[in-house]
Amino acid sequence: MSTAILTGPPVAGSPLEADLRTLGFDVLTANDATAAAELINAVPAHERIAVVDPRFVGHLHALRLALTDPRFPAAAVPGALTAQPAARAALARAVGRIPVGAGTAHLTDVLTDTLTESLDRDEAGLHRVELGSLVATVALTPAQREDAREAVAAVDDEAVRLRTAVKSRDGFFTTYGISPYSRYLARWCARRGLTPNQVTTASLLTALIAAGCAATGARGGFVAAGFLLLFSFVLDCTDGQLARYSLQYSTMGAWLDATFDRAKEYAYYAGLALGAARGGDDVWALALGAMVLMTCRHVVDFSFNEANHDATANTSPTAALSGKLDSVGWTVWVRRMIVLPIGERWFMIAVLTALTTPRIVFYALLIGCALAACYTTAGRVLRSLTRRARRTDRAAQALADLADSGPLAELIARGARGRGRTGSFLAPVMAFLSAAVLLVWVLFEDDPTSWLTVGVAVCSALLAGAAVARPLKGALDWLVPPFFRAGEYVTILVLAARADVPGALPAAFGLVAAVAYHHYDTVYRIRGGTGAPPRWLVRATGGHEGRILVITVLAAALSPSGFTIALTALAVVLALLVLVESIRFWVSSQAPAVHDEGEPA
C-alpha cells in the first residue's frame, strides 16, 4: 500500500492528483501542517508514504523517480518526497519537529522542503533525485506556474525515460548493437505488465534452447544456436532496461540476472561440448577450462571491488591515468572491449558457433578471456600497490567470506593467529603457495591419483589456513579468494582429465558448476547487504580446502571409473545443498532493492 498526502494551498485544474493515482498512490489532502502531521502519523508504519505540495509542477517521470524507486528508504525532488517503512521513523521525527505558531510560516509554507531537509540531517538514507533535463518545482505564483509548464512542455519525459533505461556504462556491442532497439522492447514489456524477472527467465529458457541446438552437433543446429544465443542476450539487456524504465528493482532480480547469466553461458558450453562429441571431437577439457577461467576472472573483479568498496584515500597514479584516458573518447571503448565484456563475448561465441566448430569457439574464448584477465588483473595490482588507502573491517570480512574457508582452514587459522602482520603481503603469498603447490604437483606428477597427492592437499590446506589467519586488509589481500578458486577448480579439472575415462570431465564440469554457483551466490548476498551464506552451509560444503581434500582422497582410493561416479554424486549433492538454501534465502529475503550498474560482466 502507498499513500500520498497533498499538503498546501490547493491549485484548481492541476493534474497532480491524477498523476499520483497513476503511480499507484491513494491520495489524501491536508489544509495545513498540523493536519498533514496527523495524517502522516495515522498511516500504518509498514506502508510507503509520500508528501507532495499541490503547487508541484513537473514531469510525471520526475514524480515516478522520487516516489516509486524501491532502492532508497527515502527520496525527494523539489515539492515531493517519499519514505518507505525503513525511513518512516525518521519521517515521524521530522513531523514532530514541525514548528507551530507565529513566525513559522517560512518553514510550513513549503512543508515538503522542510521535511526533506530534516530527513537529510537525520541521515535517513535520503536520496535526492538527479533530474537532468526533467522539471520538478513548486510554483508559488501564477507566473511561476506558467513558466514551469512551458519548461515541462519543452522536454519529452518519455524520451528521457527511454534514454535513461539504458545502463550508463556498458560495452561497445551492447551500446551500439543492442540497446538502440532493446529499450523499445523493454517499453513494450512494461506496457503489457511483464516484470524484469519474467524477461530474465525468458532469456534463460532461450539460452537453454540454444544449448540444446548446439548439442545436436549438426551445422543447422550450430547456426540456430548462434542466433538464439544472440536473442537471449537481447532479452538479457531488456530485463535490466525494463527494471530501469519501470523502476522495478529488487535484490532478487539482480541476483537472478547475474546467476542466470552464468547458468546460460555454462549451459551453452556444455551444449557445445555435447555437440562436438557427436562429431567425434572431445572438447570437455576446453569447456571446463573456459568455465574455470571465466569464474576466476569474475572472482578477481568481485574481490577487488569489495576490498575497495569503502576504502579511504582511494587514489593512485594508475587511477589518475585512467581518469585522463577517459577524456579521450575512443580509448574508453577500446579499454571496454579489451576486457571482453558479456556483449562482445556472447557475440563472438554466437558468430563462431554458426561459422566454425566448438573447438575453435573454445580456443578463441580461452585466448580472449586470458588476455582480458591479464589486462584487468595487472591494472588492479598496480592500483593496489600505488594507492594509499586504509581498508575497513567490512572489506576484510567480505574478503574472508569470499575466501570460502571451511572447518579445516578455520582450525589452522586459529592456530596461526597472531603470527604475521595485518596489511603485509603474507596472506596473498600464502594463498598463492597454497594453490601453486597443489597445481604443480597434479600437473607434473606422473600419477596424481595417489595418496601422496592427499598429503600435498593437506599441505595446501595448511597454507590456506595461514593465509586467512589475520584480517585481510593488505594492499593485495583481494587476491586471496581468486588464488583459492584457481587452486580448487583447476585441481578438479586436472584430476578428471588425468583419470582418462569417459564421463570424468563432464562430471567435473558439473561439480565445478555447482561450486561456482555457491561462490556467485556468496557474492550477490554480500552485494545485497545481507552478508555471506550461513556458516553451517559453508561447513557442510567443506570449504574450498575441504572439497580439495575429499576429491584427492576419492581419486586415490577409487578406480578411474569409480572416481567418475564419485565426482557425479558429489556434484549432485553439492548442487542440491547450495541450490535449496539459495532459493530459500532469496525467496524470503528482505534485503533492500539493488540493481547492478557497474562494470559489464
Side-chain angles (χ1 to χ4, degrees), residues 299-331:
V299 173
V300 169
D301 296 342
F302 298 143
S303 296
F304 179 81
N305 290 335
E306 288 302 327
N308 296 282
H309 176 77
D310 48 8
T312 57
N314 192 4
T315 58
S316 74
T318 309
L321 175 61
S322 178
K324 290 180 180 179
L325 288 175
D326 285 343
S327 63
V328 183
W330 64 270
T331 67

Side-chain angles (χ1 to χ4, degrees), residues 183-511:
R183 69 184 75 180
Y184 295 101
L185 179 58
R187 182 172 66 181
W188 183 88
C189 292
R191 290 176 175 177
R192 282 152 185 81
L194 297 177
T195 67
N197 290 351
Q198 289 172 332
V199 178
T200 301
T201 303
S203 176
L204 173 66
L205 294 175
T206 304
L208 294 178
I209 296 172
C213 292
T216 63
R219 176 49 52 192
F222 287 143
V223 172
F227 279 109
L228 286 171
L229 187 65
L230 283 178
F231 182 61
S232 174
F233 182 64
V234 172
L235 293 176
D236 184 57
C237 295
T238 301
D239 63 4
Q241 291 165 359
L242 174 58
R244 285 180 286 273
Y245 181 85
S246 57
L247 300 183
Q248 296 183 73
Y249 299 106
S250 69
T251 301
M252 185 175 181
W255 168 74
L256 283 177
D257 186 42
T259 53
F260 279 12
D261 278 351
R262 304 290 81 79
K264 288 180 285 189
E265 195 162 359
Y266 300 157
Y268 194 79
Y269 294 172
L272 285 175
L274 289 169
R278 286 180 176 271
D281 189 12
D282 186 354
V283 296
W284 275 107
L286 296 176
L288 181 51
M291 181 166 67
V292 167
L293 179 57
M294 186 57 57
T295 305
C296 288
R297 177 187 161 192
H298 282 140
V299 173
V300 169
D301 296 342
F302 298 143
S303 296
F304 179 81
N305 290 335
E306 288 302 327
N308 296 282
H309 176 77
D310 48 8
T312 57
N314 192 4
T315 58
S316 74
T318 309
L321 175 61
S322 178
K324 290 180 180 179
L325 288 175
D326 285 343
S327 63
V328 183
W330 64 270
T331 67
V332 174
W333 293 116
V334 170
R335 284 180 292 138
R336 290 187 191 178
M337 293 172 69
I338 287 174
V339 302
L340 205 64
I342 189 170
E344 278 75 357
R345 190 166 69 250
W346 282 29
F347 178 73
M348 179 186 74
I349 293 171
V351 171
L352 291 179
T353 298
L355 300 179
T356 64
T357 66
R359 181 172 289 273
I360 292 176
V361 173
F362 286 123
Y363 280 152
L365 190 60
L366 285 166
I367 293 170
C369 289
L371 293 174
C374 290
Y375 169 78
T376 55
T377 305
R380 286 167 178 170
V381 168
L382 287 173
R383 289 189 183 206
S384 300
L385 290 174
T386 55
R387 69 165 30 124
R388 293 186 180 91
R390 178 174 297 174
R391 273 71 181 185
T392 63
D393 291 337
R394 177 202 173 280
Q397 184 58 53
L399 291 179
D401 292 334
L402 291 173
D404 192 33
S405 299
L408 182 57
E410 285 182 334
L411 181 64
I412 297 165
R414 280 197 294 269
R417 198 154 288 152
R419 303 173 189 177
R421 182 169 57 87
T422 298
S424 69
F425 295 124
L426 182 62
V429 169
M430 290 294 102
F432 171 77
L433 291 175
S434 172
V437 164
L438 186 62
L439 294 181
V440 169
W441 177 267
V442 298
L443 283 168
F444 298 106
E445 171 61 22
D446 291 337
D447 181 18
T449 58
S450 68
W451 290 104
L452 284 174
T453 305
V454 177
V456 175
V458 171
C459 293
S460 174
L462 289 170
L463 292 166
V468 295
R470 303 285 293 178
L472 299 176
K473 294 184 177 182
L476 296 179
D477 284 1
W478 56 270
L479 287 170
V480 170
F483 284 144
F484 287 164
R485 296 296 81 76
E488 179 181 2
Y489 296 161
V490 178
T491 297
I492 296 172
L493 189 162
V494 174
L495 289 178
R498 297 290 290 273
D500 197 25
V501 293
L505 280 167
F509 188 96
L511 177 57

